[in-house]
Amino acid sequence: MSETNSAAETAAPHRYTAAMAADIEARWQDFWDAEGTYEAPNPTGDLAGDPELAAKPKKFIMDMFPYPSGAGLHVGHPLGYIATDVYARHQRMTGHNVLHTLGFDAFGLPAEQYAVQTGTHPRVSTEANMENMKVQLRRLGLGHDNRRSFATIDAEYYKWTQWIFLQIFNSWYDTEADRARPIAELVEQFESGTRATPDGREWSELSATERADLLSEYRLAYASDAPVNWSPGLGTVLANEEVTADGRSERGNFPVFKAKLRQWNMRITAYADRLLNDLDGLDWPEAIKLQQRNWIGRSEGARVEFPVDTAGGITVFTTRQDTLFGATYMVLAPEHDMVERIIPAAWPEGTHPVWTGGHTSPAEAVTAYRKQAAAKSDVERQAEAKDKTGVFTGAYATNPVSGEKVPVFIADYVLMGYGTGAIMAVPAHDARDFAFARAFELPMRCVVQPSDDRGTDPATWDDAFGSYDAKLVNSANDEISLDGLGVVEAKAKITEWLQEHGVGEGTVNFRLRDWLFSRQRYWGEPFPIVYDEDGIAHPLPESMLPLELPEVEDYSPRTFDPEDASAQPETPLSRNADWVNVTLDLGDGPRKYRRETNTMPNWAGSCWYELRYLDPNNDRQLVDPSIEQYWMGPREGQPTGGVDLYVGGAEHAVLHLLYARFWSKVLHDLGHISSAEPFHKLYNQGMIQAFVYRDSRGIAVPAAEVEERDGAFYYEGEKVSRVLGKMGKSLKNAVTPDEICAEYGADTLRLYEMAMGPLDVSRPWDTRAVVGQYRLLQRLWRNVVDEETGEVTVVDTEPGEDTLRALHKAIDGVGQDMAGMRFNTAIAKVTELNNHLTKAGGPLSRSVAERLVLLIAPLAPHIAEELWRRLGHTDSVVHQDFPVADPAYVVDETVTCVVQIKGKVRARLEISPSITDEELEALALADDAVVAALGGAGIRKVIVRAPKLVNIVPA
């Protein structure tokens, strides 16, 4: 503390200082913990409490799970936590039973990478990080119900994560009922013959392996051999969403390659329509809804079969089936499983040399090209590269409408992850197909009439012509003609023809892919799955849960040269033979099994954590139905139920939110919960940014040690650059909440973060500006407490009308701002009221002082508790009623009405805000200034907008 502050403290021993704030804050935090002040009662069960409180309207408020980082918190992290705390406190004071707590999302790659680097077990480092963060969070005075807190690494928590996985594994999606159903009901259909097996055999005739394979085609959780994103540098595979736009891992920034591995998947695609449609009923930012809609990517079109003489047919999905007559070649994704089946032994006679890539056989050409394509990410493959690459497979397919033979290529611009992994190429009307056709000297046919003067010979064009408004041309065979039709009519007509001839059908396709759910890591939830000697997967019974993560000596994944695309994963758990190979009795006697050695991704634990907050000690069921119904069940305005308010960063728009919605829908379908959506209202807070200073080498230097001179910035005498960016330890610009709390107190930090600007907008941190909120609290303190004696100075007299008007306007405005999460303007109104009271002079009326304290209580709870107690109250301020404004004082006594003649202001009238249009018109026309301005002229029209405007139009 500075010498000036020390002198002031000596002169005024009861002044609100950082030292006093620290004492007040520690005492009240201890009090809240001891009294269980923030404990929200459930209607029943072990957390049932005050029935009167439980009978109030509920409000479930959540923050996105924090990850326990070793660096701890910087001042940017608590922004959302403070905001939800302020909102929750206001909701308590307006008559709600508020559930607000916080746990830790503690599995995943960051802890494991740290453990590998330091040799510290991930549990040890993670638990130490959690303890540090708990201390930091407690110091902020957050009103959490700590009885409900947990970490995803707690075995009693991930027991239920594993249990949910088994519910998903033991379910299938019934498209007729449009919901998930138990897999046993599907088995019953096969057994009874009401559902036929693919080859028509009786269910009893199938072997155990055949039955398992068939059911795997239906299960919502299934293992399959599929193209995956393999990161040798991390030693694990990644979901599409975990790969950055430049084809590298989100964690660690390693190269990512395509590989084919057997992995667990979640059939989230079964829910694509519901995930899309239910967005309409959610109170989410439109930008987030749009991102989810784009990720799901619904498109209507047709599936079309192109016969191949040697191997059945190639199925494509197209949204422009009207252009089928213009398809002059086909392209398969390099990974497509049809490729091996259609490759001939030698190049067909007359094969164009440019199609072969210089290889002597189709097999050689395909193998070489596949290796080349595997080194690219999906993003790189989709980029508009100047040069198109690919190779002819040696096979031809038949265009089903024209009957022409079309060559089949493989090229990296076609992905297995969209549609069928195969396209019909219409080069005259698609930019990428056009470029490919030019590169490989392939034919082009115009089937959509150009609207410009380019003509209908694509050989003379500079680019493709694509239009949804044009007419079809050159699109007829002996049975059907699309010529002259518009696109919509042509699509309908050709779709009907395809269906009649059994070579296609109208269908809907989605960009959304099934969720890759395996990781080749140690630090994650073990799968509750074992394999028998035939390789058939068996779920563990609930009695064997949790399947705990074993302690292992070597928890490092086997990583490889980041550029080694040929490397194969090796999981840490696979090295623990005693754990992997077990003898179990799953109901048919003891048998030998092999455990699954992949672990679940770090998203698993955060897919359902809102439910555990409701009933955290339940060891008998996921959640008590009556408790879930109470806190999250559907109700008026929330047709699909869910958390009342969920606050977190917009970076989780797709990943976490989409996955959590999927799990909720499955659990809802199976009858375990009443809410079909996890989060009804979503609010994305902005980011607290900080200046990053870099030297001439581009290396960040400590921001706290940078000096500003004449508009330039210097570090150790060297000029440095400055740019606004993220705050973080690596950028050497992090400011910890501990520093600010020590300098000013937690209440000041809370006020400053809420006052910086609108909550949903990013804003720069400025330590020098924190003092403004510190001074607000000092003035507030002085208005109630004598700095010399420490005595309360309020009096029991009634305040004057000016003060009552200022007070009730503040109450009305602050209340509305709190409910609307406009905390910056709420603080401005409290500041305005406090300044009014300071300028008014004299001791405060007790009724005014008490309401002032209640107004600031959600924002600065420690000082509010202290002042509330000093004002003579023995109960906590937390559950007091928020003040209610008297409407008579909220409305101004008079308002200024502007009187205009020909658009020019001629008079200003001070009038009652409740005046009628007729009264105001009469008053304006009688005003001396108006009469003089009219100069005896007649009046054609008077426009009155009481109480603010009168516009007179002379004759």
Side-chain angles (χ1 to χ4, degrees):
M1 186 167 292
S2 69
E3 291 182 15
T4 304
N5 282 345
S6 299
E9 192 173 344
T10 303
H14 296 279
R15 175 168 294 174
Y16 182 82
T17 62
M20 179 183 284
D23 173 65
I24 289 171
E25 288 162 5
R27 279 193 290 106
W28 283 109
Q29 287 161 17
D30 289 343
F31 174 85
W32 294 330
D33 284 349
E35 295 295 316
T37 302
Y38 303 109
E39 293 178 0
N42 281 343
T44 60
D46 65 315
L47 297 187
D50 180 359
E52 196 173 311
L53 181 54
K56 291 183 175 182
K58 63 88 189 181
K59 194 68 75 170
F60 185 4
I61 299 165
M62 265 182 68
D63 302 278
M64 288 188 183
F65 247 174
Y67 194 89
S69 161
L73 299 176
H74 60 62
V75 291
H77 291 123
L79 178 67
Y81 306 149
I82 294 170
T84 53
D85 186 63
V86 173
Y87 183 76
R89 290 175 181 277
H90 179 252
Q91 291 297 306
R92 285 191 194 94
M93 296 178 75
T94 52
H96 295 85
N97 181 23
V98 176
L99 193 166
H100 189 212
T101 190
L102 196 69
F104 292 93
D105 189 12
F107 272 130
L109 281 172
E112 192 163 49
Q113 285 179 289
Y114 180 78
V116 170
Q117 291 164 7
T118 63
T120 307
H121 192 285
R123 180 174 292 280
V124 173
S125 59
T126 301
E127 289 180 346
N129 294 343
M130 284 193 292
E131 289 308 310
N132 179 47
M133 286 181 68
K134 285 177 183 177
V135 170
Q136 289 185 300
L137 291 166
R138 184 179 188 270
R139 193 170 184 181
L140 297 173
L142 303 177
H144 293 151
D145 183 346
N146 292 322
R147 303 171 304 164
R148 299 174 183 267
S149 184
F150 55 81
T152 54
I153 60 175
D154 300 338
E156 56 269 28
Y157 178 80
Y158 70 73
K159 164 189 174 178
W160 294 105
T161 307
Q162 292 170 336
W163 182 88
I164 295 171
F165 174 83
L166 292 178
Q167 306 313 301
I168 300 173
F169 174 77
N170 285 320
S171 301
W172 63 292
Y173 201 85
D174 184 344
T175 54
E176 292 182 7
D178 201 21
R179 66 178 180 86
R181 293 173 60 185
I183 201 76
E185 295 180 13
L186 180 64
V187 172
E188 187 180 326
Q189 291 181 16
F190 282 127
E191 287 177 337
S192 66
T194 56
R195 182 182 292 266
T197 61
D199 62 7
R201 284 186 292 163
E202 296 290 325
W203 178 256
S204 58
E205 296 176 29
L206 303 183
S207 68
T209 301
E210 289 173 326
R211 291 179 187 178
D213 289 344
L214 177 54
L215 292 179
S216 193
E217 295 295 318
Y218 290 85
R219 292 186 188 275
L220 289 179
Y222 64 96
S224 69
D225 292 315
V228 295
N229 301 304
W230 163 234
S231 173
L234 283 175
T236 190
V237 301
L238 302 169
N240 290 336
E241 299 89 341
E242 295 172 300
V243 181
T244 63
D246 56 355
R248 302 178 77 86
S249 64
E250 190 178 49
R251 294 286 184 185
N253 197 37
F254 291 107
V256 176
F257 304 96
K258 280 295 180 187
K260 208 162 193 177
L261 299 170
R262 191 161 187 81
Q263 302 290 313
W264 281 99
N265 297 274
M266 294 275 183
R267 208 179 299 275
I268 192 173
T269 50
Y271 282 84
D273 267 323
R274 284 170 62 185
L275 288 168
L276 199 60
N277 296 336
D278 286 355
L279 284 170
D280 294 337
L282 300 180
D283 185 3
W284 286 17
E286 281 305 316
I288 301 297
K289 288 185 178 183
L290 180 61
Q291 287 184 63
Q292 290 230 339
R293 289 188 182 106
N294 289 342
W295 192 263
I296 295 166
R298 188 181 193 276
S299 53
E300 294 186 13
R303 287 184 181 272
V304 185
E305 189 88 1
F306 281 70
V308 179
D309 293 340
T310 57
I314 298 172
T315 303
V316 303
F317 170 79
T318 176
T319 59
R320 290 298 303 270
Q321 60 268 40
D322 55 301
T323 64
L324 256 169
F325 284 93
T328 58
Y329 66 97
M330 298 188 74
V331 184
L332 303 182
E335 308 87 354
H336 202 293
D337 59 10
M338 281 289 290
V339 175
E340 285 86 354
R341 287 184 278 174
I342 64 175
I343 296 176
W347 294 118
E349 187 176 346
T351 296
H352 196 311
V354 77
W355 295 3
T356 68
H359 296 283
T360 57
S361 71
E364 182 184 312
V366 166
T367 299
Y369 188 78
R370 278 179 157 176
K371 187 174 182 181
Q372 174 186 330
K376 294 183 181 180
S377 71
D378 284 359
V379 175
E380 290 173 309
R381 288 169 56 171
Q382 288 283 281
E384 294 295 332
K386 184 177 179 182
D387 298 321
K388 292 297 177 189
T389 65
V391 70
F392 180 40
T393 63
Y396 286 83
T398 302
N399 184 320
V401 296
S402 69
E404 295 175 347
K405 293 289 187 182
V406 295
V408 182
F409 284 74
I410 60 171
D412 60 12
Y413 77 92
V414 177
L415 305 178
M416 278 306 298
Y418 183 75
T420 64
I423 67 162
M424 61 175 211
V426 184
H429 307 295
D430 179 272
R432 289 185 304 172
D433 294 347
F434 185 93
F436 191 90
R438 278 284 165 89
F440 288 88
E441 300 178 22
L442 288 156
M444 292 188 263
R445 179 179 297 112
C446 174
V447 293
V448 177
Q449 180 69 50
S451 55
D452 51 26
D453 59 0
R454 67 175 66 198
T456 58
D457 180 6
T460 65
W461 297 357
D462 294 324
D463 55 13
F465 173 78
S467 174
Y468 213 80
D469 299 325
K471 301 292 184 183
L472 274 293
V473 295
N474 302 324
S475 298
N477 61 27
D478 293 341
E479 298 179 12
I480 185 173
S481 174
L482 305 181
D483 292 345
L485 298 180
V487 171
V488 174
E489 191 179 354
K491 286 171 80 169
K493 189 170 182 179
I494 194 67
T495 301
E496 184 180 349
W497 187 90
L498 291 168
Q499 290 176 179
E500 288 175 356
H501 288 72
V503 291
E505 62 178 350
T507 189
V508 173
N509 196 60
F510 294 91
R511 178 178 179 268
L512 181 68
R513 300 294 90 198
D514 281 347
W515 173 16
L516 178 67
F517 200 70
S518 294
R519 298 294 181 273
Q520 291 67 48
R521 307 295 294 214
Y522 166 70
W523 195 234
E525 298 91 340
F527 281 93
I529 293 289
V530 292
Y531 300 91
D532 63 22
E533 293 172 340
D534 295 322
I536 298 173
H538 296 267
L540 292 181
E542 188 177 333
S543 60
M544 291 187 182
L545 302 182
L547 172 59
E548 296 197 32
L549 191 64
E551 293 297 322
V552 296
E553 290 184 10
D554 183 8
Y555 40 79
S556 304
R558 184 180 177 194
T559 56
F560 304 85
D561 179 337
E563 303 291 342
D564 184 3
S566 64
Q568 292 288 306
E570 178 188 291
T571 64
L573 290 179
S574 66
R575 299 193 287 263
N576 189 343
D578 291 342
W579 184 82
V580 174
N581 301 303
V582 290
T583 299
L584 302 173
D585 185 350
L586 301 184
D588 53 356
R591 293 176 60 190
K592 290 182 178 180
Y593 295 96
R594 175 177 53 83
R595 294 195 191 280
E596 171 63 68
T597 58
N598 286 314
T599 52
M600 298 186 198
N602 60 301
W603 306 106
S606 59
C607 275
W608 71 280
Y609 70 123
E610 70 283 355
L611 298 172
R612 192 63 175 173
Y613 284 152
L614 308 181
D615 198 11
N617 305 318
N618 198 331
D619 60 359
R620 301 175 311 282
Q621 57 191 145
L622 181 71
V623 60
D624 183 296
S626 63
I627 294 173
E628 188 272 337
Q629 174 72 47
Y630 172 82
W631 288 110
M632 290 184 62
R635 62 203 65 221
E636 187 177 351
Q638 299 183 17
T640 49
V643 172
D644 296 290
L645 175 66
Y646 192 39
V647 174
E651 65 272 17
H652 297 295
V654 172
L655 291 166
H656 157 63
L657 292 173
L658 197 63
Y659 296 157
R661 295 181 64 215
F662 167 54
W663 278 36
S664 283
K665 291 186 183 304
V666 177
L667 292 170
H668 171 76
D669 286 357
L670 298 176
H672 299 299
I673 58 176
S674 65
S675 49
E677 287 282 343
F679 314 114
H680 173 69
K681 180 177 176 64
L682 175 69
Y683 190 100
N684 296 130
Q685 87 271 14
M687 181 187 296
I688 289 183
Q689 300 170 305
F691 286 111
V692 183
Y693 299 88
R694 297 186 185 275
D695 61 20
S696 58
R697 300 166 298 169
I699 296 174
V701 302
E705 299 174 30
V706 172
E707 297 178 357
E708 182 178 358
R709 298 199 299 269
D710 301 324
F713 303 94
Y714 298 86
Y715 172 69
E716 295 183 345
E718 180 191 348
K719 194 172 183 179
V720 294
S721 64
R722 183 180 82 161
V723 64
L724 192 62
K726 286 185 176 182
M727 182 180 287
K729 189 176 180 181
S730 64
L731 298 173
K732 299 183 181 178
N733 63 353
V735 178
T736 69
D738 309 61
E739 296 171 56
I740 304 302
C741 289
E743 185 76 15
Y744 300 105
D747 279 340
T748 295
L749 173 63
R750 290 170 61 102
L751 279 173
Y752 176 65
E753 294 215 359
M754 294 299 96
M756 290 171 76
L759 183 60
D760 58 350
V761 175
S762 293
R763 71 292 303 270
W765 176 268
D766 183 359
T767 299
R768 293 169 301 180
V770 177
V771 71
Q773 300 308 317
Y774 180 56
R775 288 174 181 150
L776 166 62
L777 294 180
Q778 288 183 316
R779 289 193 296 270
L780 172 71
W781 181 266
R782 275 198 300 271
N783 275 332
V784 180
V785 177
D786 188 297
E787 291 184 335
E788 298 293 334
T789 67
E791 297 297 318
V792 171
T793 58
V794 302
V795 294
D796 291 326
T797 57
E798 286 301 309
E801 187 157 326
D802 284 352
T803 293
L804 282 173
R805 199 167 292 284
L807 172 66
H808 286 280
K809 280 187 175 182
I811 290 171
D812 181 60
V814 171
Q816 291 186 49
D817 288 344
M818 290 278 192
M821 300 183 72
R822 298 183 297 274
F823 304 126
N824 60 319
T825 54
I827 291 169
K829 291 178 175 71
V830 171
T831 304
E832 186 180 353
L833 172 62
N834 196 54
N835 289 343
H836 169 88
L837 298 175
T838 302
K839 289 175 185 174
L844 290 191
S845 162
R846 173 175 293 276
S847 65
V848 173
E850 289 183 344
R851 281 178 281 188
L852 174 63
V853 168
L854 292 172
L855 279 183
I856 205 166
L859 294 153
H862 306 92
I863 194 172
E865 282 280 29
E866 184 70 15
L867 291 175
W868 190 249
R869 181 61 59 95
R870 290 185 179 228
L871 284 166
H873 300 280
T874 57
D875 48 355
S876 169
V877 76
V878 170
H879 292 285
Q880 299 304 310
D881 290 339
F882 198 77
V884 177
D886 184 337
Y889 291 108
V890 172
V891 178
D892 288 328
E893 265 189 301
T894 63
V895 294
T896 302
C897 174
V898 173
V899 183
Q900 296 179 335
I901 300 175
K902 290 186 177 179
K904 291 186 177 180
V905 177
R906 297 300 187 182
R908 286 184 170 85
L909 310 176
E910 293 299 316
I911 47 91
S912 167
S914 60
I915 195 169
T916 65
D917 284 0
E918 293 76 13
E919 291 170 335
L920 182 55
E921 180 179 341
L923 201 62
L925 293 175
D927 183 83
D928 291 341
V930 172
V931 171
L934 285 169
I939 297 171
R940 182 160 60 89
K941 191 177 186 181
V942 179
I943 302 166
V944 181
R945 297 285 184 269
K948 295 292 183 71
L949 176 69
V950 176
N951 194 9
I952 301 171
V953 182

